[in-house]
Amino acid sequence: MSTEELQREQQFIDLLQERVTALRQEAEAMLRATIGQLSTHVQTRVEREASIAEQSADLAALNAVESGLCFGRIDLRDGSSHHIGRIGIRRDDHERTPLLIDWRAPVARPFYLATGYEPMGLRRRRHITTMGSTVTALHDEILDLADTTRSGYEDHDGDSVLLAALGAARTGRMADIVQTIQAEQDRIIRAPRQQILVVEGGPGTGKTAVALHRAAYLLYAHREQLARRAVLIVGPNPAFLGYIGEVLPSLGETGVLLATPGELFPGVRASGTDTPAAAEVKGRIAMAEVLAQVLRERQALPETLPGVDFEAEGRVPEPALEIDHSEYGILLLGREMAYEARDRARATGLPHNLARPHFAFRIIDALTEQLADRLGADPYGGPNLLGPDDLAQLGKEIATSAEVHRAIDLLWPALSPYELVADFLAEPEGHLPAEEAELIRRTGGEWTTADVPLLDEAAELLGVDDSAERATAEAERLERIAYAQGVLDLSAGSKTYEFEDEESEILAAHDIIDAERMAERHEEEDHRSAAERAAADRTWAFGHIIVDEAQELSAMAWRLLMRRCPARSMTLVGDPAQTGDIAGVGSWRAILEPYVGDRWQHARLGVNYRTPAEIMELAARVRRASYPEFEPPRSVRSTGVPPWIRRVSDGELSAAVLAAVARERPEEGRLAVIAPRQLHGRWESIGGPVDLTRSVVLLDPRQAKGLEFDTVIVVEPALFTDSDLYVALTRATQRLGVLHSRDLPEGLV
C-alpha cells in the first residue's frame, strides 16, 4: 500500500508537470505570436506591447514556481481531496476544474490550521516532498482518529517536515515557508489589509518570512487594487533585499518594489555614510520644522530693499532694487511691493514652488501698474490715457523681461530639494545647537541614508511646479486631435457618391469615432509595471507597505513612509530588543501614535524556528546582563552542540579566525564571520562586497540583520553594542563560535 501511495502521488506530479509544460509552451507561443504581429500602426503597437508585458509576466511566474510546485494534499471526510501548491493550476477541460489549489485560497486554509482537536473537516493532511519533479517522501498526519485507513507514511509527531526544513543547509537565499506555515503565522498572513499590523518577535521567529507571505497573500486576495497601486517592501540593506529577493517570485508574485530606506527618494541611491550621532540628529522629528524655517529664510527679503523714495528723475537711492527695462528705463521694485507679493503667495497655502507663480504675478502686475502710471499719465490730472489693450501689451512685455525674472528669482527663487538640503547641511548653524550643527555639517559628498527623509521633507515643502510641462502636454494633445480630425475629414471626403440620393448603409470612420477619442487611442501608453512607475514617482501612494527591521527607522523616515501610504495599510516587522541604531524610534507606540493614535494591531511571534536552544540560551544570558527581565523566544529544536568560546592574543586573532573558518566551514551551507567593521581589513581573503551565495562571508552586525547561516563565528564581542552582540549571536542555525582577545562582555564569561 505504501508503494502504491507513492506511485499515485508521483503520477499526479507527472500530470501536473505535463500541464505546467503545456502552459509554458502556450505562453511562449503566444509571446512569439504577439511579437510577430507587431505593426507600424500606433494602436496595434500599443496593444501588442501591453500583451507582451502581460504574457512575459505569466511566463516568468510559471518558470519561478515550477520547482516544488505541489507540496501537500488534504483529504476531506466527504471523500474529496485537494492538492495544494504555490500557485493555482486548472485542468485543460471544458469545466476548467482545479488541478492544483493555490495555498492562499480559502479551501487550502485547513492545510495550515487543522488539528486533531479541530480538524476543520479533514481526515488527513499530507506533506509531499519532491526533488525536481520526483516525489521523494510523503508525511501523513491523521486528523480523524476514527478513520482506520493507513497509508504507511504516517508522521506520528507531526513535525518531521518542519524540522527537516529547519535543519536544511542554507543557500544564501531565503526560501519560502509555504509548506510549513504554522497556525500563528497563518493568522498573521491572512489578517485584514486595511490596518497597520505590527508583527513583533525575537530572532528566528519567522517575522520576515511571515511578512513576505503576507505580501503574497494580499496580492492574491486584493489583486485588482494592489496590482494597480503596488506593494512596497522596505529592508535594512541591499544584502538583505538580495537574500529575500527570490521568495515572492517562488510564490508567483513579481509585481513588488523592494527598496532600502536609502532608495526611497527617486533619483537618489544613498551611498554616503553618517556617524551614528549625525544620523540621530538628522532623524529627529524636529528636523521637519528646521527645514521649514530654512525655507522661510529663503523667502525673506534681502536687506537691499528699503522703502522707495522717488527723486525728480524717477531714480531711488542705493541700495534699492532697480530693474533696468531696456525700452522703458528703470522700474522700481520696493519693499512694500515685495512684502505684499510674498504675503499673497504665502496666503495660498501652497508649497514654495507652486506658490511662486502667485508671487511672480503680483510683482508683474505691480510693475505693470507702475509703468502704466509713467507712460499713460495725463499731464492735466485726468484718468490714465492707456486703454485695456495697451495695459495688456505692457503686461506681456513686463512678463517676458529677463530683468524682471531675475528680480523674481532673487526674491522668491525656484528651489530643488537637493539645493535646499545641501545648503542647510553646508551651514546648519543658526538652526541647531553648535555641537549638533558641527555633527551634520557637510559640503558636497554623497547623500546618506539619513539625508533621504530630509530630501523628501524638502520636496514636500517645495512642491513641483509642472505648469510648463502640463501646458506642453495640452498643446501636444490638441495637435494630435487636429491631426486626427484631418484624417477623419480625408476619410469622409473619400466616400463614394454614386448613390448620393440614397442613405448609405456603409459606416465611415467619422460615424463611429470622433477626433478626440481617436487621438487618445493613438497616444503613447506607459507600459511599465506599477512597481516600476512607483519607483520613479515620489508622490506614489502604495496599496500596502511592509517594513522589515522597522524598529531601526528614525522619526523622519517614518514621516516619509506615511506619505507613501495615505490609506495606512502597512505591516511592520521588528524586534525592539534588536534596535541597534540610536536614531531608531524603538517603541511601536512612539512610531505610530502621531499618525494613527491607537488604531493599530499588535501580534507577537514567540517560537524560535531558527536558533537551536543551546545557542539561544547563550544569547539570552548576554541580553539579561543588561535587561534582567528579558524573555527570549522558545526554540523548537536542539542540536546537542553547545557554542564554543576561545581567547587568543591580539597578534594571534587574524590567524585564529582563518583557522576557525577552515575548521568550521560546513560541507553544505554557509558560514558567516561577524566582526567589527574596523577589523575587516585583516581578512581580505573572505572580505569584499557582500555575496551571500559564497560559502563564507564577512559581515558586521548591522549587515547581518535578518540573515541566517549554518555556522557563525563572532569576533571580538567586546567591541559590539549590546543589541549588535545579540544580533550576531542569533544568526546561526547549527553552530556558533566566539573568538576574542579582549575581555568578554558580561553574560559571555
Side-chain angles (χ1 to χ4, degrees), residues 231-247:
V231 172
L232 170 66
I233 297 179
V234 181
N237 54 59
F240 176 84
L241 295 183
Y243 176 64
I244 68 171
E246 295 178 5
V247 174

Side-chain angles (χ1 to χ4, degrees), residues 13 67-71 128-137 179:
I13 295 296
S67 178
L69 182 57
C70 175
F71 55 79
I128 303 171
T129 304
T130 59
M131 181 172 292
S133 59
T134 302
V135 178
T136 58
Q179 188 173 0

Side-chain angles (χ1 to χ4, degrees), residues 470-539:
R470 285 189 282 109
T472 300
E474 178 63 13
E476 292 174 350
R477 188 182 74 87
L478 294 175
E479 185 179 343
R480 285 194 300 271
I481 292 174
Y483 176 80
Q485 187 62 57
V487 172
L488 292 175
D489 291 344
L490 286 173
S491 172
S494 65
K495 65 184 292 185
T496 301
Y497 292 95
E498 183 178 352
F499 306 104
E500 58 184 14
D501 293 335
E502 301 177 15
E503 187 174 342
S504 174
E505 295 182 358
I506 301 176
L507 294 176
H510 63 271
D511 294 320
I512 58 177
I513 190 170
D514 60 25
E516 186 169 359
R517 290 173 63 190
M518 184 176 179
E520 288 175 356
R521 288 191 176 186
H522 285 211
E523 185 178 354
E524 193 70 26
E525 295 184 11
D526 187 348
H527 295 303
R528 293 176 299 170
S529 69
E532 291 170 332
R533 284 182 282 125
D537 185 355
R538 191 195 72 83
T539 63

Side-chain angles (χ1 to χ4, degrees), residues 613-658:
E614 294 84 356
I615 296 176
M616 198 64 222
E617 181 182 345
L618 177 66
R621 202 165 67 226
V622 170
R623 189 67 182 165
R624 287 195 187 103
S626 300
Y627 302 93
E629 71 284 359
F630 174 72
E631 285 298 327
R634 176 179 59 85
S635 295
V636 300
R637 64 193 179 98
S638 171
T639 61
V641 181
W644 55 265
I645 300 176
R646 181 185 171 199
R647 181 164 193 162
V648 297
S649 67
D650 182 65
E652 298 173 321
L653 184 63
S654 297
V657 168
L658 295 178

Side-chain angles (χ1 to χ4, degrees), residues 55-74:
Q55 292 163 8
S56 298
D58 291 343
L59 187 57
L62 282 171
N63 289 334
V65 303
E66 182 180 1
S67 178
L69 182 57
C70 175
F71 55 79
R73 191 182 86 186
I74 51 177

Side-chain angles (χ1 to χ4, degrees), residues 229-461:
R229 300 309 315 166
V231 172
L232 170 66
I233 297 179
V234 181
N237 54 59
F240 176 84
L241 295 183
Y243 176 64
I244 68 171
E246 295 178 5
V247 174
L248 286 170
S250 76
L251 299 173
E253 300 297 346
T254 56
V256 175
L257 176 63
L258 277 68
T260 67
E263 298 169 339
L264 293 177
F265 191 85
V268 170
R269 186 177 291 269
S271 56
T273 303
D274 277 313
T275 64
E280 190 274 331
V281 172
K282 292 179 181 180
R284 295 175 188 170
I285 196 66
M287 292 303 297
E289 179 55 36
V290 167
L291 288 176
Q293 179 60 37
V294 170
L295 180 58
R296 283 193 291 271
E297 291 179 1
R298 295 298 295 267
Q299 297 170 353
L301 301 180
E303 292 298 326
T304 56
L305 282 177
V308 176
D309 294 324
F310 289 93
E311 295 181 348
E313 65 272 27
R315 301 292 299 274
V316 291
E318 295 296 337
L321 179 61
E322 302 177 353
I323 301 173
D324 186 4
H325 194 288
S326 58
E327 185 175 352
Y328 298 112
I330 301 299
L331 299 177
L332 308 170
L333 203 168
R335 176 173 293 276
E336 187 173 329
M337 181 192 303
Y339 270 135
E340 181 188 356
R342 187 187 68 179
D343 291 344
R344 286 198 180 188
R346 286 179 173 176
T348 65
L350 294 171
H352 174 87
N353 289 333
L354 297 182
R356 186 174 185 270
H358 295 269
F359 179 88
F361 292 153
R362 182 58 196 134
I363 294 295
I364 290 169
D365 287 347
L367 293 175
T368 301
E369 292 170 6
Q370 182 183 131
L371 185 57
D373 288 343
R374 181 187 304 174
L375 298 179
D378 185 345
Y380 302 104
N384 196 295
L385 300 177
L386 299 179
D389 291 343
D390 298 320
L391 293 176
Q393 181 59 36
L394 289 180
K396 288 181 181 179
E397 294 187 20
I398 294 294
T400 57
S401 166
E403 288 293 328
V404 170
H405 282 282
R406 271 193 285 272
I408 291 171
D409 287 340
L410 173 67
L411 300 175
W412 194 284
L415 297 171
S416 73
Y418 310 103
E419 181 182 0
L420 188 69
V421 174
D423 288 350
F424 163 64
L425 294 177
E427 296 183 15
E429 47 277 302
H431 300 283
L432 295 171
E435 183 178 344
E436 294 176 357
E438 192 59 36
L439 283 173
I440 68 169
R441 186 194 315 278
R442 188 183 75 233
T443 302
E446 300 292 330
W447 295 111
T448 70
T449 296
D451 292 334
V452 167
L454 302 185
L455 290 169
D456 195 74
E457 187 70 28
E460 196 73 9
L461 291 168

